[in-house]
Amino acid sequence: MFSFTEENYLKAIYHLSGGAQKSVLTNELAEAMQTKAASVTDMLKKLAVKELVQYERYYGVNLTGKGKSEALQIIRKHRLWETFLVEKLSFTWDEVHEVAEQLEHIQSPRLINKLDEYLGFPKSDPHGDPIPDQHGKLKALPQVSLDQLKPGSKGTISSVKDDDPELLKYLEKIGAKPGKKLEVVSRESYDESVEILLDKRKVFFSKEVSKNILLVI
Amino acid sequence: MFSFTEENYLKAIYHLSGGAQKSVLTNELAEAMQTKAASVTDMLKKLAVKELVQYERYYGVNLTGKGKSEALQIIRKHRLWETFLVEKLSFTWDEVHEVAEQLEHIQSPRLINKLDEYLGFPKSDPHGDPIPDQHGKLKALPQVSLDQLKPGSKGTISSVKDDDPELLKYLEKIGAKPGKKLEVVSRESYDESVEILLDKRKVFFSKEVSKNILLVI
DNA sequence: GTAAAAATTTAGACGAGTCTAAAAAATTTT
DNA sequence: AAAATTTTTTAGACTCGTCTAAATTTTTAC
């Protein structure tokens, strides 16, 4: 139905717009897609003709209903495959993203629904991200990133950014996985690094890392 | 490493050459690839530059060692995925070919070896075709197609053509699966249809069908 | 509120893979 | 063995997704 490239654009627009909430600018998209702004402009025109996005010259792009629904199907596939790789093939959570980026483009509704069933209809993937259902319904939790939490507050890790293997290996070592509870002890005003309590141990995270850890409070 | 298209050409050349045994002509390849002879010529030149084939103008093409090895890797992936779909996701054998055509192009040696392990290192796929090992070694049985067998001879079905869902549904209904023993009762000289004994039942196959059933005798 | 800077789009080009139409080489027929 | 036929290749063009360079629009700075 759609090309790999088109699917990747839709997915990137979905993520950058915070779930089709706000417009996405050409340069943001160019950076996310590792390409040039001129190429993005060309592609946005094509997606607009196919009614997958609303595109206004110089003012960025928004997903249409059709575009959002397509993006969610791709995200569903990505997260189900990640779950399969970890649960069934015993991949570690830092290894799955790259392979899932390929698997998410396989065209077969039957395959993905059978896979969903085989995995027991999981609600979230190994990084804690929610898996959209067959109809594209997504159960989004109200999440806060760790860099925004005040000292004294407690929360449970709900998800972590899934596409940086080095970060994931580091968090694995520390034990900072979805489901773990933590408490913010203090924040250093100089560099905004943060000290937390996790499994009764004191742990320090740089601001950079803390931005990639999402919690429910 | 190689594009989808290149991989599909290598696979087609492998099959049409009977496992890199003989040269493949431009028109055969054009028919197999559902494309035009001119396009095939263009692609063969590119594959020759990459040293995947030896191509001689007007005289067809042969796989090089490198090309054969690449083709076998793709066939390995195709057959492992078919096995996965049937064994784990309970697809029927007529549904798997089309999806495996997509899955065979996923690039991840780690994935395919983990999948192999997860499936218990199967020796053949659901249609009876042998699965090459990690190093591309293929255990090829000496097979005869049913249309070449004389009345009175017995054999065991070793494989059936995997890419025609209608044929596969028909054979499923009849019970003609790999592993089943059969005996040729008679052949009608008029249309070369054949009468066989399968599970103590008499069954008739047209020549067309009998060409697609391979046996070990 | 105009000038400089930044962001975006347009114009023209390229490589991959495909096509049609025409030319060239091989094969078959007579 | 020359003519007719078939097969294959060449030439030139098209689409897709990309690029660079130049032009345009928006935003920021003064």
Side-chain angles (χ1 to χ4, degrees):
Chain A
M1 193 69 176
F2 304 111
S3 73
F4 273 38
T5 309
E6 287 170 332
E7 293 190 351
N8 286 333
Y9 269 93
L10 292 175
K11 192 171 48 125
I13 295 168
Y14 182 89
H15 288 310
L16 290 172
S17 66
Q21 303 285 298
K22 57 178 198 286
S23 292
V24 175
L25 302 177
T26 303
N27 270 358
E28 300 180 68
L29 207 38
E31 161 141 37
M33 297 293 297
Q34 305 253 68
T35 184
K36 298 299 151 92
S39 310
V40 172
T41 300
D42 289 346
M43 179 54 75
L44 292 182
K45 286 191 208 163
K46 287 176 199 164
L47 294 176
V49 169
K50 298 190 179 183
E51 300 187 317
L52 293 163
V53 301
Q54 283 182 270
Y55 167 57
E56 194 150 2
R57 234 150 95 271
Y58 294 102
Y59 289 94
V61 72
N62 287 92
L63 289 174
T64 62
K66 197 172 149 191
K68 182 180 175 183
S69 149
E70 189 59 33
L72 281 165
Q73 286 306 319
I74 299 156
I75 289 164
R76 167 171 161 79
K77 289 193 274 183
H78 183 100
R79 293 180 181 169
L80 283 172
W81 279 116
E82 286 198 344
T83 306
F84 168 74
L85 294 172
V86 168
E87 299 282 310
K88 303 296 185 183
L89 300 194
S90 54
F91 275 62
T92 54
W93 71 345
D94 58 290
E95 298 172 319
V96 297
H97 182 74
E98 197 189 311
V99 183
E101 289 280 294
Q102 298 180 60
L103 287 163
E104 72 191 5
H105 299 293
I106 303 293
Q107 305 280 358
S108 170
R110 185 162 176 67
L111 169 61
I112 207 66
N113 291 330
K114 288 246 180 199
L115 184 66
D116 195 12
E117 183 186 349
Y118 186 58
L119 296 172
F121 304 105
K123 294 277 173 294
S124 60
D125 75 14
H127 313 99
D129 294 310
I131 299 176
D133 71 14
Q134 273 195 57
H135 313 294
K137 267 268 177 293
L138 190 87
K139 195 154 219 155
L141 298 171
Q143 298 180 124
V144 191
S145 64
L146 178 54
D147 69 315
Q148 293 172 328
L149 236 58
K150 293 203 177 68
S153 42
K154 298 180 184 182
T156 304
I157 299 179
S158 55
S159 69
V160 299
K161 191 155 153 269
D162 74 342
D163 62 357
D164 180 349
E166 292 313 312
L167 171 68
L168 288 167
K169 275 180 218 154
Y170 170 60
L171 295 179
E172 169 80 42
K173 197 174 64 185
I174 304 241
K177 289 201 146 194
K180 283 289 182 73
K181 290 183 204 304
L182 62 78
E183 176 179 350
V184 179
V185 178
S186 67
R187 171 168 282 110
E188 177 57 56
S189 59
Y190 169 61
D191 63 357
E192 296 184 69
S193 66
V194 67
E195 180 184 354
I196 64 163
L197 260 179
L198 178 78
D199 291 333
K200 291 165 191 148
R201 298 183 342 264
K202 276 190 194 168
V203 179
F204 290 87
F205 286 135
S206 67
K207 180 177 190 184
E208 201 47 41
V209 168
S210 70
K211 281 197 292 189
N212 292 312
I213 299 178
L214 300 178
L215 306 108
V216 284
I217 49 177
Chain B
M1 192 68 176
F2 304 110
S3 73
F4 273 38
T5 308
E6 288 170 331
E7 292 191 349
N8 285 333
Y9 269 93
L10 291 175
K11 192 170 51 128
I13 296 168
Y14 182 89
H15 288 311
L16 291 172
S17 66
Q21 301 287 298
K22 56 179 197 284
S23 292
V24 176
L25 301 176
T26 303
N27 271 357
E28 299 180 70
L29 206 39
E31 161 142 37
M33 297 294 296
Q34 306 254 65
T35 185
K36 298 299 152 90
S39 310
V40 172
T41 300
D42 289 346
M43 179 54 77
L44 293 182
K45 286 190 208 163
K46 286 176 199 164
L47 294 176
V49 169
K50 297 189 180 186
E51 300 187 316
L52 294 162
V53 302
Q54 283 183 268
Y55 166 56
E56 194 149 3
R57 234 150 96 271
Y58 293 101
Y59 290 94
V61 71
N62 288 91
L63 290 174
T64 61
K66 196 171 151 192
K68 181 179 176 184
S69 149
E70 190 59 30
L72 282 166
Q73 285 307 318
I74 299 156
I75 289 165
R76 168 171 161 81
K77 290 193 273 183
H78 183 101
R79 294 180 180 168
L80 282 172
W81 280 116
E82 285 199 344
T83 305
F84 168 74
L85 294 172
V86 168
E87 299 281 312
K88 301 297 184 184
L89 299 194
S90 54
F91 274 62
T92 55
W93 70 345
D94 58 291
E95 299 172 319
V96 296
H97 182 72
E98 197 189 312
V99 184
E101 289 281 293
Q102 297 180 61
L103 287 163
E104 72 191 6
H105 299 292
I106 303 293
Q107 306 279 0
S108 169
R110 184 160 175 70
L111 170 60
I112 209 63
N113 291 330
K114 288 246 181 199
L115 184 65
D116 195 12
E117 182 185 349
Y118 186 56
L119 297 171
F121 305 104
K123 294 277 173 293
S124 60
D125 75 16
H127 312 100
D129 293 310
I131 299 175
D133 71 15
Q134 274 194 58
H135 313 294
K137 266 267 177 292
L138 189 86
K139 194 154 219 155
L141 298 170
Q143 298 180 124
V144 191
S145 63
L146 179 54
D147 71 313
Q148 293 173 327
L149 235 57
K150 292 204 176 67
S153 43
K154 298 179 183 183
T156 304
I157 300 178
S158 56
S159 69
V160 300
K161 193 156 150 270
D162 73 342
D163 62 357
D164 180 349
E166 293 312 312
L167 171 67
L168 289 167
K169 277 181 215 155
Y170 170 62
L171 294 179
E172 170 80 42
K173 198 174 63 185
I174 304 242
K177 289 201 146 195
K180 285 289 184 74
K181 289 183 205 304
L182 62 77
E183 177 179 349
V184 179
V185 178
S186 67
R187 171 169 282 110
E188 178 57 56
S189 59
Y190 168 62
D191 63 358
E192 295 185 70
S193 66
V194 69
E195 180 184 353
I196 64 162
L197 259 178
L198 179 78
D199 290 334
K200 289 164 191 147
R201 298 181 343 263
K202 275 189 195 170
V203 179
F204 289 87
F205 285 136
S206 67
K207 180 177 190 185
E208 202 46 43
V209 169
S210 69
K211 280 197 294 190
N212 292 311
I213 300 177
L214 300 178
L215 306 108
V216 285
I217 50 177

